[in-house]
Amino acid sequence: MSKKTKKIISIVLVLTVMFGLGRAAAYIQTKYHVVSTFSIAGETENWGLGFGESGAQPRGNVSAEELKQYNAFYMGGNSEKVLYLTFDCGYENGNTENILAALKKHQAPATFFVVGHYLESAPDLVKRMVEEGHTVGNHTYHHPDMTAISDLASFQKEVDDVANLFLEITGQEMTKYYRPPQGKYSVENMKMAQELGYATFFWSLAYVDWNTDAQPSKTEAFDKLIPRVHPGAIVLLHNTSKTNGEILDELLTQWEGMGYTFAPLSQLVDSV
């Protein structure tokens, strides 16, 4: 083993303890022009947020600027009090009609990210979404962990099967907006979505509304959704939530009273 190699190994060990494996690899790569075996492209993450002061934009796992290179977003700009409403639709259990009624009352456009089962079981509601001016986005056909898919062909089938069924139901091409199931993502997945012409959407405001067996009360929902709302928020709600169906009208009214307006995701995409 050469002296230079021993020196590199020693530095890696020291820096691993001091700064963590990622920083050590980056240091060695820069100083000695060594090809790192660690790559962000191979990392899998669960989308998460860190909140600061009430009304301030949260921090995401990845910054908005970094996401843009993959045509991905988690919130809009901070200059205007605009909200982007989105709903994840895994199945229909009687709440979507109330959600659509509240959106119509407030003339608030939304994006509904649907899976294959929803298209199969609730085609009339999908048609209504389109007829009332909303966007229907792609949440994959089977809602798998997409980060476990490493080849483009398999990734494409999950989104194509949704898009093809949507076309069959509505007679329209599906807008190429994609939301990763379970919020699991990797750089490679975002690259694959981008290669297929999709924009990827995470979120900057959500709450635990998905558990149908433990629905939050109205007070609990408002305690999360009112203080944390912020300019440019991409709001994630689930259509399966009975609470959402009951509170959405009042929630939109309160947000409007705080000076917020509602815009489609296309406005965010077009502004980049």
Side-chain angles (χ1 to χ4, degrees):
M1 185 179 295
S2 68
K3 290 183 179 180
K4 182 177 180 180
T5 301
K6 290 180 179 179
K7 184 177 181 182
I8 292 174
I9 293 173
S10 297
I11 294 173
V12 169
L13 292 173
V14 171
L15 291 178
T16 297
V17 175
M18 293 176 62
F19 303 111
L21 194 54
R23 292 184 183 179
Y27 177 86
I28 294 301
Q29 184 176 6
T30 300
K31 185 171 181 60
Y32 292 100
H33 307 288
V34 176
V35 176
S36 173
T37 58
F38 306 99
S39 170
I40 188 174
E43 293 178 357
T44 298
E45 296 284 352
N46 293 313
W47 182 251
L49 298 165
F51 287 88
E53 296 180 1
S54 178
Q57 290 189 320
R59 301 176 305 280
N61 289 21
V62 185
S63 72
E65 287 302 314
E66 289 176 295
L67 288 175
K68 283 180 184 178
Q69 64 184 312
Y70 308 110
N71 199 26
F73 308 84
Y74 83 95
M75 65 181 178
N78 200 28
S79 60
E80 296 183 40
K81 295 183 106 177
V82 177
L83 303 179
Y84 305 95
L85 304 175
T86 71
F87 296 84
D88 283 3
C89 302
Y91 60 94
E92 179 53 41
N93 61 347
N95 301 304
T96 306
E97 288 191 352
N98 288 339
I99 289 170
L100 286 168
L103 294 171
K104 186 173 184 178
K105 177 180 177 180
H106 291 265
Q107 298 183 323
T111 299
F112 292 86
F113 288 97
V114 300
V115 299
H117 174 76
Y118 195 88
L119 290 167
E120 292 174 352
S121 61
D124 289 342
L125 284 173
V126 174
K127 291 178 184 177
R128 180 177 167 185
M129 292 169 188
V130 174
E131 290 167 358
E132 296 185 0
H134 303 297
T135 302
V136 178
N138 203 315
H139 202 33
T140 73
Y141 204 88
H142 298 101
H143 201 264
D145 175 0
M146 294 293 278
T147 64
I149 295 176
S150 58
D151 63 292
L152 182 62
S154 298
F155 188 101
Q156 183 170 1
K157 180 170 174 54
E158 273 294 330
V159 294
D160 277 0
D161 285 353
V162 171
N164 291 337
L165 184 52
F166 176 81
L167 176 61
E168 182 181 324
I169 291 169
T170 66
Q172 297 185 20
E173 296 285 345
M174 174 173 263
T175 303
K176 288 199 168 185
Y177 293 168
Y178 161 71
R179 172 163 284 158
Q182 308 168 56
K184 292 185 177 181
Y185 70 97
S186 68
V187 170
E188 287 304 320
N189 272 186
M190 290 191 289
K191 285 181 178 178
M192 284 191 279
Q194 186 179 29
E195 185 173 344
L196 295 173
Y198 280 86
T200 296
F201 291 94
F202 298 100
W203 58 89
S204 61
L205 179 60
Y207 77 120
V208 182
D209 62 347
W210 49 265
N211 188 346
T212 56
D213 294 325
Q215 279 291 285
S217 67
K218 172 183 171 181
T219 299
E220 290 170 335
F222 276 61
D223 283 349
K224 295 292 185 183
L225 295 171
I226 297 299
R228 289 182 174 178
V229 72
H230 54 272
I234 295 180
V235 182
L236 164 61
L237 301 172
H238 286 83
N239 75 307
T240 52
S241 167
K242 185 173 184 290
T243 300
N244 289 341
E246 293 172 346
I247 71 168
L248 188 60
D249 180 18
E250 185 177 347
L251 178 65
L252 299 183
T253 298
Q254 288 208 33
W255 279 341
E256 287 170 330
M258 297 168 70
Y260 285 95
T261 59
F262 311 106
L265 285 177
S266 58
Q267 179 175 301
L268 172 57
V269 174
D270 293 343
S271 68
V272 176

